[in-house]
Amino acid sequence: MTIRDDDTETLTDAPDAPAGYSLDVQVGFLLRKAQQRHLAIFSAHMAEDLTPMQFAALAKLHEVGPCSQNSLGRQTAMDVATIKGVVTRLKARGLVDKTDSPADRRMHLIALTEPGRALVERLFPAALDISGRTLEPLSAEEKAHFMRLLAKLT
């Protein structure tokens, strides 16, 4: 794919690459570069030393309420080991708590504490600003189209 100055794109073979392969136009490479840009913006503008995954867990708990750690991991696209570490760190900071499930005593529910709720609510404007900064190079129409396409891919 070649992107021209007028923002139109055409698919082309890379003349010097074997079998027409050029890393610079591969979807995974471009998604990784876009993610790196977003993570740099997130890191520069998110307060409280929260990682993107920690913020995602807090935001999802705010949205859905208490849920199992397994469910929280699925809802935030984190594997078992990652969500366990995220919950452990958030619990150590007093932002979430684990309680026994009234329906199944073998299961623990993860819930926001009051300080966790207050923090995530205070950080929502920064998170929206981060998303806006990430998409800043795009026009309003391109932003909407891009978000629809990303949702379709996931």
Side-chain angles (χ1 to χ4, degrees):
M1 175 172 45
T2 303
I3 300 178
R4 299 190 305 242
D5 288 338
D6 62 358
D7 288 333
T8 60
E9 56 187 63
T10 56
L11 293 175
T12 60
D13 290 334
D16 298 333
Y21 185 91
S22 175
L23 178 64
D24 292 343
V25 296
Q26 301 307 308
V27 65
F29 180 73
L30 292 171
L31 285 171
R32 186 169 56 83
K33 285 180 66 177
Q35 181 185 28
Q36 287 171 339
R37 179 176 185 281
H38 173 71
L39 292 176
I41 293 167
F42 185 96
S43 183
H45 297 280
M46 181 53 69
E48 304 295 329
D49 293 323
L50 288 174
T51 67
M53 290 189 217
Q54 290 170 344
F55 180 78
L58 293 173
K60 185 53 76 172
L61 286 170
H62 187 275
E63 181 183 332
V64 302
C67 61
S68 71
Q69 186 167 292
N70 190 314
S71 175
L72 182 60
R74 284 191 315 273
Q75 293 181 74
T76 55
M78 292 183 225
D79 61 44
V80 173
T82 302
I83 194 62
K84 182 182 185 314
V86 166
V87 168
T88 297
R89 286 185 286 284
L90 292 174
K91 187 173 181 332
R93 291 180 64 178
L95 301 175
V96 301
D97 202 7
K98 282 184 173 184
T99 59
D100 290 335
S101 168
D104 182 350
R105 304 228 9 117
R106 296 169 295 172
M107 184 181 3
H108 297 285
L109 296 179
I110 311 302
L112 289 174
T113 60
E114 282 309 312
R117 180 174 310 286
L119 175 66
V120 75
E121 288 175 357
R122 193 174 80 245
L123 293 177
F124 281 149
L128 289 169
D129 180 61
I130 290 164
S131 290
R133 288 172 186 264
T134 299
L135 297 173
E136 196 169 47
L138 305 177
S139 70
E141 183 179 319
E142 289 170 330
K143 290 174 190 177
H145 187 67
F146 180 70
M147 293 304 292
R148 280 192 305 274
L149 292 174
L150 277 179
K152 190 173 184 177
L153 285 175
T154 62

